[in-house]
Amino acid sequence: DQQVKQNSPSLSVQEGRISILNCDYTNSMFDYFLWYKKYPAEGPTFLISISSIKDKNEDGRFTVFLNKSAKHLSLHIVPSQPGDSAVYFCAAKGAGTASKLTFGTGTRLQVTL
Amino acid sequence: NAGVMQNPRHLVRRRGQEARLRCSPMKGHSHVYWYRQLPEEGLKFMVYLQKENIIDESGMPKERFSAEFPKEGPSILRIQQVVRGDSAAYFCASSPGSSGTYNEQFFGPGTRLTVL
């Protein structure tokens, strides 16, 4: 049972344009959501997160939107840069001070010149 | 300002041998998590430990796998009698304990285990 889903395995965007990566979840007990970026042969790097009590969080070029009623979140990157090319993982965490992350299968973003 | 450290980065074992993967959390972090990533898949939770305690091992296979986080030294993920299906990237993450941000986990570079 895949509780966190990233239905687009890949996405190609032109440099300077907006990249939108989507993520859906099924478990209503998730209360915190995170996005990680991963380059080949490296560990995931934390990018941005959002609590379930918010619907938007922004950090520089990265904005995460959360729609709790639809159990959907998205990551917007604007403007996209070639260095953003990587695999992006959506992750969710249940309530509690520290608990496991449930990851989606990832979306490979390619930013072209 | 060292991040999460894992060693070895690459490990090759023959079927039936033992694999030991080490993880040193970020300074000041007392929560350690192990995840496994099979080829073309996302990361799957295995085990969550605090110093000298296993908090959640719901993702760990019941046999051949064990984990510890002793009072002194790194966390160890141990796989006995490895099989080809154990070939994967194993990632360790850490987060702060009693203070600071609880929600973000910071990952190490991973250990890539290949079983021949």
Side-chain angles (χ1 to χ4, degrees), chain B residues 80-96:
Chain B
Q80 295 178 289
Q81 299 174 336
V82 295
V83 300
R84 288 216 173 105
D86 296 333
S87 295
Y90 292 81
F91 293 98
C92 169
S94 72
S95 68

Side-chain angles (χ1 to χ4, degrees), chain A residues 11-58:
Chain A
L11 175 67
S12 183
V13 172
Q14 210 166 19
E15 182 182 10
R17 303 276 189 147
I18 184 171
S19 295
I20 300 177
L21 295 94
N22 294 304
C23 178
D24 298 292
Y25 63 96
T26 57
N27 189 341
S28 57
M29 299 302 291
F30 289 143
D31 71 343
Y32 203 82
F33 303 89
L34 307 90
W35 284 93
Y36 285 85
K37 174 181 178 180
K38 187 180 182 302
Y39 294 117
E42 294 185 12
T45 302
F46 170 71
L47 208 53
I48 193 169
S49 60
I50 188 166
S51 165
S52 60
I53 62 174
K54 296 186 176 181
D55 55 19
K56 178 183 175 182
N57 187 27
E58 191 172 353

Side-chain angles (χ1 to χ4, degrees), chain B residues 11-13 19 21 79 82 86-90 111-115:
Chain B
L11 183 61
V12 179
R13 286 287 178 266
L21 289 63
I79 312 172
V82 295
D86 296 333
S87 295
Y90 292 81
T111 294
R112 274 141 193 89
L113 172 65
T114 302
V115 180

Side-chain angles (χ1 to χ4, degrees), chain B residues 60-66 78-81 86:
Chain B
M60 194 116 89
K62 294 288 185 286
E63 297 179 354
R64 303 188 298 107
F65 285 74
S66 62
R78 182 181 178 206
I79 312 172
Q80 295 178 289
Q81 299 174 336
D86 296 333

Side-chain angles (χ1 to χ4, degrees), chain A residues 95-113:
Chain A
T97 55
S99 61
K100 64 186 181 186
L101 296 178
T102 301
F103 282 85
T105 50
T107 296
R108 184 178 303 277
L109 173 65
Q110 180 73 40
V111 179
T112 59
L113 297 172

